[in-house]
Amino acid sequence: MSHRIALAVIALLALLVALPAMADGHESTIADIVVASAAAEEAEFATLLAAVSAADPAILTTLADPEAELTVFAPTDAAFAALAEALGEEAFGEILTEEGTPRLNEILLYHVLAGAIGSADVVGALESAMADDMGHVSLPVGTLSGQTLEVSGTMGEDGLDLSAGIQIDEAGLVLEMVDISASNGVIHVIDAVIVPELRSIAEIVVEAAGAESPQFTTLLAAVQAADPAVLELLADPGAAVTVFAPIDAAFAAVENLDDIIADTALLTAVLQYHVLPGTVYSFQLGGIVDDMGMAAISMANGSEASISISDAGVMIDNANILLDLVDIPASNGVIHVIDAVIVPSE
């Protein structure tokens, strides 16, 4: 614990020396701090400011809201430069155009959490998590984009090994630049831009069906044969849904599958029964079941499906949720793969 306190003190002193424009952080919003740093003699966050300025104005409004409580993982200018190099200047520039605004919004909101979470809270949460055989610990954290990012680290003999760093997805937390306090939250600096999944559920299914080792081929055929509203929902960038996606073998086990696919109304109802409104990740399922490990959830067709959690695994109705194929992120929700087709009772 004393090591963490010492680190926090060193980080605070470093910030007061290196970023004088941020010294009044308690009176300044996150937006104020980003603007002041971008204009400082040794500018930082200049590209972040340009990105926020090019995005939906609602994002800047959120960062400037004095009543908000937010945590922002702020990429450095060097982090954005590395992204531009990886994508190519032309592709990176397109993200900052009007046509690229939806993608830019997703990327920026993926760097923002609801609530002010200090570095000590991050360390404490990681130390409370269960480590794997290699001492690796990780936690999923929801972002304002609707997707979750992974905060991770490595345990040492006396707690979290800070010398090994703390990762925010693929980015490293810059430990000398954490806990930049604002009136509406806190900023932690990271050394890379973290990019969420930008494909929709529909795009992921199409790409999986056309892959070298294809999957979801029958699911794709079924969606294409159903009412167009099904495909429109899975492709809707503004949707937020959870899809329980049967593997091809699950469809192959269904009797009279051709008859079901030929019946548009029935097929549509069956497919909608695999869609749960709202984005629910696997780690959130435990929060919706009762003491018996059971829960009824309302699916997109209006029927209720049953979720059950036991030592044997997690099921939705008669289908097993394949735990090594859960939490497949999409820009408009999440996919969990299941080993059987589920059918509404009516």
Side-chain angles (χ1 to χ4, degrees):
M1 182 66 71
S2 59
H3 178 62
R4 294 203 300 271
I5 294 173
L7 177 65
V9 171
I10 292 170
L12 178 59
L13 291 175
L15 286 171
L16 293 178
V17 172
L19 301 172
M22 299 182 183
D24 64 345
H26 287 291
E27 291 77 40
S28 302
T29 65
I30 291 170
D32 293 333
I33 291 173
V34 171
V35 170
S37 177
E41 184 175 348
E42 295 185 9
E44 194 55 275
F45 303 150
T47 314
L48 175 60
L49 177 59
V52 171
S53 300
D56 189 316
I59 294 178
L60 179 58
T61 300
T62 298
L63 300 181
D65 182 1
E67 302 302 319
E69 283 290 326
L70 304 169
T71 298
V72 172
F73 295 109
T76 61
D77 286 344
F80 276 103
L83 178 63
E85 182 177 356
L87 295 178
E89 290 292 343
E90 183 177 349
F92 180 75
E94 287 177 358
I95 295 176
L96 302 180
T97 66
E98 184 175 349
E99 291 75 15
T101 296
R103 294 178 67 201
L104 179 59
N105 294 343
E106 288 289 324
I107 292 170
L108 291 175
L109 291 175
Y110 192 59
H111 290 75
V112 185
L113 314 181
I117 304 171
S119 61
D121 297 321
V122 173
V123 171
L126 287 173
E127 290 185 336
S128 298
M130 182 164 300
D132 63 18
D133 294 340
M134 302 297 292
H136 181 264
V137 287
S138 64
L139 293 169
V141 180
T143 71
L144 292 194
S145 75
Q147 295 189 48
T148 64
L149 56 77
E150 183 181 81
V151 179
S152 61
T154 303
M155 294 299 294
E157 293 182 0
D158 301 319
L160 194 69
D161 182 4
L162 294 178
S163 66
I166 296 175
Q167 297 295 120
I168 310 298
D169 270 5
E170 299 84 14
L173 195 64
V174 181
L175 296 180
E176 297 80 14
M177 300 180 73
V178 296
D179 298 325
I180 301 172
S181 181
S183 62
N184 61 346
V186 63
I187 300 172
H188 305 303
V189 180
I190 55 177
D191 64 6
V193 179
I194 51 177
V195 180
E197 176 59 69
L198 297 174
R199 296 173 299 169
S200 69
I201 292 171
E203 289 170 328
I204 291 172
V205 170
V206 169
E207 289 187 23
E212 186 175 344
S213 298
Q215 191 55 268
F216 302 149
T217 56
T218 313
L219 175 60
L220 176 59
V223 169
Q224 292 171 332
D227 188 297
V230 175
L231 179 57
E232 289 170 6
L233 176 62
L234 301 185
D236 181 2
V241 294
T242 301
V243 172
F244 296 92
I247 57 177
D248 286 343
F251 279 103
V254 176
E255 294 183 8
N256 303 316
L257 179 62
D258 290 342
D259 293 337
I260 295 173
I261 291 180
D263 186 333
T264 302
L266 174 60
L267 177 62
T268 298
V270 170
L271 290 176
Q272 289 175 331
Y273 189 63
H274 289 77
V275 180
L276 173 67
T279 302
V280 180
Y281 286 83
S282 62
F283 67 89
Q284 296 172 316
L285 291 175
I288 66 176
V289 298
D290 59 21
D291 293 340
M292 300 296 292
M294 302 286 293
I297 54 176
S298 297
M299 309 305 283
N301 74 321
S303 300
E304 286 193 342
S306 174
I307 289 285
S308 60
I309 300 178
S310 68
D311 293 340
V314 184
M315 300 187 71
I316 178 167
D317 285 356
N318 61 304
N320 293 294
I321 298 175
L322 304 180
L323 297 182
D324 56 340
L325 292 170
V326 296
D327 299 333
I328 300 172
S331 62
N332 58 348
V334 64
I335 301 170
H336 306 307
V337 181
I338 56 178
D339 68 356
V341 175
I342 55 176
V343 180
S345 58
E346 60 271 20

